């Protein structure tokens, strides 16, 4: 009764979904009619979180959808880590293959990260599906304008820990290397990069982190999982109307780039047992970066990564070493946990 009294006196409730639907349709130009007319078969996993409202969004356009893990569950079904990663989306993949669906979509519990399973059961990580979205948007812009127009007007924003696959997509469409804007990890940094680019009169094709936080062209400068999966559904629907699949588009993109990308990330936990954890954490960081400085000096003196010469060192957030063949390795301190984050990308799986 006390809560009901407070609610009536101090809190006004309203339904934000109709405005959000209008935003997706009018601002982002998501073609929900195309999705409906293509009879795209969608299975969606909100991982027990707020993304469950996506069923209502699609139903508003007469689009059917199969839902899994749509019930409220504060323990997220017992998942150790409810992120949109391949391990977590196994049941989504299984449902897609069993029911012969065209696309598997997912959002994390607060719906700011997105996940994708292709029609053939292939999981695409955010580096991969963001390159696919960028490819689709740039193809459309090239058709409407030209590559010169793209070169003069378009940029892409990505954190320093993302794959160089997006650089190759940008290069394919004529966007110069400085048109791929690297930022420190954290969407607040991408938010600033988006705002700066827009103030300079540039169109931001996509802005993303390797963790699946993404903002697409025309959206607010914030990560929006449901906007991203709507764009992916539209792309799959267009392909289906043309007698193709989204997996075909992904293979076509890679065939034109003609370069393989093998990306991986991992973490090392800092074992801090001292009472003053904050001071100890900072001390470990200082020690760690003294080691990084030594690596940089050694890297400048001789070849140290897979016998490749280091041609570029990026110090935006931690250190990133780029080799002459395009392979790279990066290391940074987590801003939220006592972890050292390690990232790397090679031209072969072994590298």
């Amino acid at each position: 009764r006390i809560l009901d009294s407070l609610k009536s006196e101090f809190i006004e409730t309203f339904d934000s979904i109709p405005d959000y639907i209008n935003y997706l349709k009018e601002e982002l130009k998501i073609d929900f009619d195309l999705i409906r007319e293509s009879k795209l078969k969608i299975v969606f996993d909100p991982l027990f979180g707020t993304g469950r409202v996506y069923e209502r969004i699609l139903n508003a356009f007469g689009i059917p959808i199969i839902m899994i893990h749509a019930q409220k569950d504060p323990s997220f079904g017992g998942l150790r880590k409810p992120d949109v990663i391949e391990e977590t989306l196994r049941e989504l993949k299984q449902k897609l293959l069993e029911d012969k669906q065209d696309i598997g979509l997912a959002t994390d519990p607060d719906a700011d990260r997105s996940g994708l399973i292709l029609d053939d059961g292939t999981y695409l990580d955010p580096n991969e599906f963001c390159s696919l979205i960028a490819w689709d948007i740039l193809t459309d812009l090239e058709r409407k304008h030209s590559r010169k127009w793209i070169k003069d007007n378009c940029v892409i924003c990505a954190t320093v820990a993302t794959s160089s696959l997006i650089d190759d997509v940008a290069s394919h469409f004529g966007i110069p290397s400085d048109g791929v804007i690297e930022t420190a990890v954290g969407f607040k940094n991408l938010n600033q990069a988006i705002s700066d680019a827009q103030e300079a009169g540039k169109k931001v094709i996509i802005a993303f982190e390797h963790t699946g936080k993404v903002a697409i062209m025309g959206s607010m400068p914030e990560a929006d999982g449901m906007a991203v999966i709507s764009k992916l559904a539209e792309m799959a629907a267009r392909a289906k109307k043309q007698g193709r699949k989204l997996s075909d588009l992904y293979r076509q993109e890679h065939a034109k780039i003609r370069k393989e990308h093998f990306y991986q990330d991992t973490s090392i936990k800092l074992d801090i047992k001292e009472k003053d954890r904050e001071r100890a954490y900072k001390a470990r960081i200082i020690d760690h970066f003294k080691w990084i400085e030594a690596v940089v000096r050694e890297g400048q003196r001789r070849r140290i990564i897979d016998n490749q010469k280091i041609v570029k060192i990026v110090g935006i957030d931690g250190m990133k070493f780029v080799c002459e063949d395009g392979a790279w390795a990066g290391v940074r301190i987590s801003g939220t946990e006592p972890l050292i984050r390690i990232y790397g990308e090679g031209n072969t799986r072994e590298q």
Side-chain angles (χ1 to χ4, degrees):
R1 288 196 296 268
I2 293 173
L3 288 176
D4 287 340
S5 175
L6 288 172
K7 181 177 178 181
S8 62
E9 186 174 354
F10 299 106
I11 301 173
E12 178 183 352
T13 61
F14 68 98
D15 185 359
S16 63
I17 298 300
D19 286 339
Y20 184 66
I21 290 173
N22 186 67
Y23 163 73
L24 292 174
K25 186 176 180 181
E26 301 301 328
E27 297 295 326
L28 300 191
K29 308 298 181 185
I30 302 296
D31 193 343
F32 290 102
D33 293 334
L34 172 65
I35 298 172
R36 182 185 65 251
E37 292 164 5
S38 72
K39 295 182 171 55
L40 187 72
K41 293 183 287 185
I42 303 169
V43 57
F44 174 57
D45 186 353
L47 292 175
F48 306 98
T50 57
R52 71 176 67 87
V53 300
Y54 194 59
E55 181 178 25
R56 181 180 164 192
I57 292 170
L58 290 191
N59 288 348
F61 295 96
I63 301 169
I65 183 173
I66 295 175
M67 303 281 289
I68 65 170
H69 303 147
Q71 68 272 27
K72 294 179 181 179
D73 184 351
S75 66
F76 308 116
L79 290 172
R80 183 178 63 84
K81 198 173 183 182
D83 291 335
V84 280
I85 56 176
E86 186 170 12
E87 180 183 357
T88 306
L89 301 184
R90 286 177 180 172
E91 290 183 40
L92 176 64
K93 175 182 177 178
Q94 181 180 353
K95 186 68 174 176
L96 176 141
L97 294 174
E98 285 178 353
D99 292 4
K100 298 180 179 179
Q101 298 294 292
D102 296 314
I103 191 170
L105 300 170
T107 53
D108 71 340
D110 60 350
D112 62 349
R113 291 181 170 91
S114 319
L116 171 66
I117 305 290
L118 295 177
D119 47 89
D120 61 1
T122 301
Y123 166 80
L124 292 192
D125 70 28
N127 289 308
E128 294 167 323
F129 72 68
C130 285
S131 76
L132 188 59
I133 292 173
W135 188 279
D136 181 79
I137 294 173
L138 288 166
T139 298
D140 185 55
L141 290 174
E142 183 180 32
R143 186 167 49 246
K144 291 177 180 177
H145 303 285
S146 66
R147 287 205 177 180
K148 185 180 185 308
W149 185 91
I150 290 173
K151 175 184 177 182
D152 294 339
N153 293 279
C154 299
V155 298
I156 288 170
C157 301
T159 64
V160 72
T162 54
S163 165
S164 58
L165 175 58
I166 196 67
D167 299 79
D168 290 344
V169 171
S171 177
H172 178 83
F173 286 93
I175 297 176
S177 58
D178 61 359
V180 180
I181 301 168
E182 279 190 317
T183 75
V185 173
F187 212 87
K188 65 179 182 181
N189 300 304
L190 286 172
N191 184 305
Q192 186 61 53
I194 294 168
S195 298
D196 291 345
Q198 289 174 339
E199 286 181 11
K202 300 291 185 179
K203 282 189 175 296
V204 179
I205 302 303
I206 194 167
F208 70 101
E209 290 191 310
H210 71 288
T211 58
K213 286 190 175 185
V214 186
I216 59 176
M217 188 176 77
S219 72
M220 296 178 288
E222 289 293 344
D224 184 345
M226 287 187 285
V228 173
I229 63 173
S230 296
K231 182 63 179 177
L232 289 167
E234 179 194 70
M235 291 163 56
R238 187 179 302 111
K240 188 172 184 178
K241 290 274 281 188
Q242 296 169 350
R244 299 189 294 165
K245 299 176 179 180
L246 196 58
S247 56
D248 296 329
L249 297 184
Y250 186 64
R251 284 192 292 269
Q252 179 188 46
E253 172 200 333
H254 274 260
K256 290 185 177 180
I257 288 175
R258 294 188 178 89
K259 183 180 178 183
E260 292 292 332
H261 293 262
F262 296 91
Y263 176 93
Q264 191 171 358
D265 63 86
T266 189
S267 300
I268 298 174
K269 188 173 183 179
L270 291 170
D271 185 18
I272 299 171
K273 299 179 180 179
E274 292 88 342
K275 291 182 179 180
D276 189 345
R277 293 180 63 85
E278 183 177 359
R279 182 181 299 172
Y281 186 28
K282 288 179 180 177
R284 290 295 296 273
I285 292 173
I286 292 169
D287 288 344
H288 176 68
F289 276 99
K290 285 180 180 177
W291 172 78
I292 287 289
E293 288 173 1
V295 171
V296 171
R297 288 194 298 271
E298 186 69 4
Q300 291 169 334
R301 190 174 70 83
R302 64 184 181 94
R303 301 171 185 228
I304 63 167
I305 299 179
D306 197 35
N307 202 34
Q308 291 287 325
K309 182 181 178 182
I310 294 175
V311 296
K312 182 181 178 183
I313 299 172
V314 182
I316 294 174
D317 186 355
M319 288 290 176
K320 179 177 179 179
F321 310 99
V322 183
C323 299
E324 57 188 343
D325 68 346
W328 62 271
V331 60
R332 57 178 288 271
I333 295 291
S334 170
T336 56
E337 303 173 83
L339 298 172
I340 298 175
R341 306 284 192 188
I342 302 171
Y343 312 88
E345 184 171 35
N347 301 309
T348 65
R349 198 172 300 278
E350 291 75 21
Q351 189 182 44

